[in-house]
Amino acid sequence: FNIPQPLERKTKLGDILSGIEPLFVDIEHQVQKDLFGETIPQRNMSLSNNNGFNDYFLFNDLRNGHSTVHSWDIIDTTDRQKTICYLLLKNRRKSIYGKLDGNPLSLEHFKSLDSSVTQEELNELVNINILKREEYCFTVSPNRETRLTEEENSVLKLNFVNRLIVDDLKNNRILKLKKINIKKTLSSLKQKNIIKCDEIRYDFKNTKISTGLFGINRIFLPSSNIFPTLVASDSNDYITLKEIKATSIEDYKSQFIEEIYKKGNYRKLTKNETCIIQGFPEDFILPGSRARWMKLLGNSVSVPVIEMLGKAILKTGVFDMEKEIAIY
């Protein structure tokens, strides 16, 4: 069996959307640096270009690439507020701040990184919906006369020196097996005055990578020769018909935000476009409701890919009735 060779010419998203010819930005490879002056490593990813002029923009507060749009890029913020956000972004995954892959930081943590950070500044970032407060540590009262539920007892058994730490609870295997809702159980224990929060930490309000920001995960440009996997439940991925021509990474991102995002020059794929991507005829008969036709196309497979694989299998002669197939 020989795997089919890829096509010599890759179809651009613009060919499917409107047949426009994407603009080619010719720029020398540049070493890009972040806000802290550190080099941003180049990655050879399927959706990313080495020169940073990616064919899509990712809406996410947990990543920091050339074409990543953060909530503080969209919400009106000062340079100082942006600096604090980048401070959290750069340090939240460090193990010294917790056992999780991403950890909230306390005011003391922020001050250890930048002594000028104030409580008022963190409060303001919470007020404009970029950060959120999280109760991280709790003191356990020795008096437990109140009747407790099984879930509450399971959580309290994990206290160490009359303290409960959220990280320990989230990582505990027993609580996971029992499917205990940690947040709900802690809230119940607080109402019964059995525990009291003694440490507040701060994290980004939007911490789910797949959901993106403000209902958008990614927006793809017409020059893209790839589009994410179509799923039955639809997705938060969008396309734009507008091109961007820039001479620097900063201008590239700025143009996208001002000309495409803020002006609403983006939309979801239409039914016909989705059919073309999956290899169906444009006039393929499907239900009128987006939810119904997206479920059918999302659960389908790419027709041309299956056709090429089928032909490759036939070439092996496995279905040739004239050949004798030895059975062992």
Side-chain angles (χ1 to χ4, degrees):
F1 175 78
N2 295 314
I3 298 177
Q5 294 298 310
L7 299 175
E8 293 184 2
R9 179 186 180 278
K10 290 185 177 181
T11 300
K12 298 287 186 180
L13 195 55
D15 298 333
I16 294 174
L17 300 178
S18 60
I20 60 175
E21 288 295 330
L23 293 174
F24 177 72
V25 182
D26 188 10
I27 186 169
E28 294 182 0
H29 180 78
Q30 299 179 3
V31 176
Q32 300 298 322
K33 296 185 178 182
D34 61 19
L35 190 68
F36 301 93
E38 296 184 2
T39 300
I40 300 175
Q42 300 288 344
R43 295 180 175 87
N44 187 19
M45 298 173 62
S46 59
L47 289 178
S48 302
N49 294 326
N50 287 333
N51 61 12
F53 288 82
N54 295 336
D55 295 324
Y56 74 102
F57 281 82
L58 173 68
F59 286 66
N60 197 292
D61 279 349
L62 306 184
R63 297 290 183 265
N64 187 28
H66 305 310
S67 55
T68 302
V69 178
H70 304 106
S71 59
W72 53 92
D73 293 320
I74 299 172
I75 298 173
D76 187 22
T77 51
T78 64
D79 289 341
R80 171 64 176 173
Q81 289 173 324
K82 288 180 172 64
T83 298
I84 295 175
C85 290
Y86 277 113
L87 203 61
L88 175 58
L89 177 60
K90 182 181 178 182
N91 291 279
R92 65 186 299 276
R93 298 184 70 180
K94 293 183 177 179
S95 59
I96 59 173
Y97 300 117
K99 301 177 182 179
L100 303 179
D101 182 48
N103 303 285
L105 272 61
S106 67
L107 174 61
E108 288 69 27
H109 292 148
F110 276 102
K111 283 185 171 297
S112 69
L113 298 166
D114 180 349
S115 59
S116 64
V117 176
T118 66
Q119 182 68 65
E120 290 71 23
E121 288 177 318
L122 296 179
N123 290 342
E124 181 57 30
L125 286 168
V126 171
N127 293 337
I128 60 177
N129 294 317
I130 292 179
L131 299 187
K132 63 181 177 182
R133 296 184 184 89
E134 290 191 0
E135 295 182 329
Y136 188 77
C137 291
F138 298 85
T139 301
V140 180
S141 171
N143 301 319
R144 305 178 193 173
E145 298 179 359
T146 306
R147 182 175 296 179
L148 302 177
T149 65
E150 181 182 348
E151 290 81 5
E152 291 169 341
N153 275 316
S154 297
V155 168
L156 287 174
K157 286 179 181 178
L158 299 175
N159 86 86
F160 180 72
V161 195
N162 289 329
R163 289 200 84 203
L164 287 173
I165 300 177
V166 172
D167 275 9
D168 295 335
L169 301 179
K170 289 182 177 180
N171 285 324
N172 186 267
R173 182 171 175 271
I174 295 176
L175 297 186
K176 288 180 180 179
L177 289 174
K178 290 184 177 181
K179 297 181 179 180
I180 293 177
N181 187 319
I182 296 172
K183 186 176 181 179
K184 182 179 179 180
T185 305
L186 290 174
S187 177
S188 176
L189 288 169
K190 278 181 58 183
Q191 291 178 359
K192 295 179 179 180
N193 294 319
I194 294 174
I195 62 172
K196 182 179 180 181
C197 178
D198 59 16
E199 182 179 342
I200 296 291
R201 291 195 180 189
Y202 298 85
D203 201 357
F204 293 117
K205 184 173 182 178
N206 301 291
T207 54
K208 290 186 177 180
I209 295 178
S210 59
T211 56
L213 299 173
F214 312 110
I216 302 174
N217 183 24
R218 288 167 292 195
I219 296 179
F220 285 79
L221 303 178
S223 54
S224 176
N225 57 21
I226 192 170
F227 194 79
T229 302
L230 298 171
V231 293
S233 58
D234 213 338
S235 68
N236 291 331
D237 290 320
Y238 292 77
I239 56 93
T240 179
L241 301 179
K242 191 172 179 62
E243 301 281 5
I244 302 177
K245 188 174 183 179
T247 56
S248 69
I249 298 297
E250 294 76 17
D251 186 38
Y252 192 64
K253 180 176 177 178
S254 176
Q255 281 193 45
F256 170 80
I257 293 175
E258 296 299 325
E259 299 299 324
I260 295 178
Y261 175 74
K262 288 187 176 180
K263 292 184 178 180
N265 288 322
Y266 58 90
R267 61 171 173 79
K268 288 196 173 185
L269 291 171
T270 65
K271 180 164 59 176
N272 289 350
E273 291 163 351
T274 308
C275 280
I276 295 173
I277 287 178
Q278 286 289 59
F280 287 86
E282 290 185 60
D283 57 354
F284 191 78
I285 299 176
L286 288 165
S289 164
R290 181 180 181 89
R292 293 182 64 193
W293 62 254
M294 195 66 212
K295 182 177 181 179
L296 293 172
L297 291 173
N299 278 329
S300 179
V301 292
S302 177
V303 177
V305 172
I306 299 303
E307 180 184 8
M308 293 177 71
L309 289 174
K311 289 179 178 178
I313 293 173
L314 287 174
K315 287 181 180 179
T316 65
V318 68
F319 296 116
D320 193 341
M321 300 301 293
E322 296 180 359
K323 291 185 178 181
E324 294 183 2
I325 301 177
I327 301 177
Y328 297 95

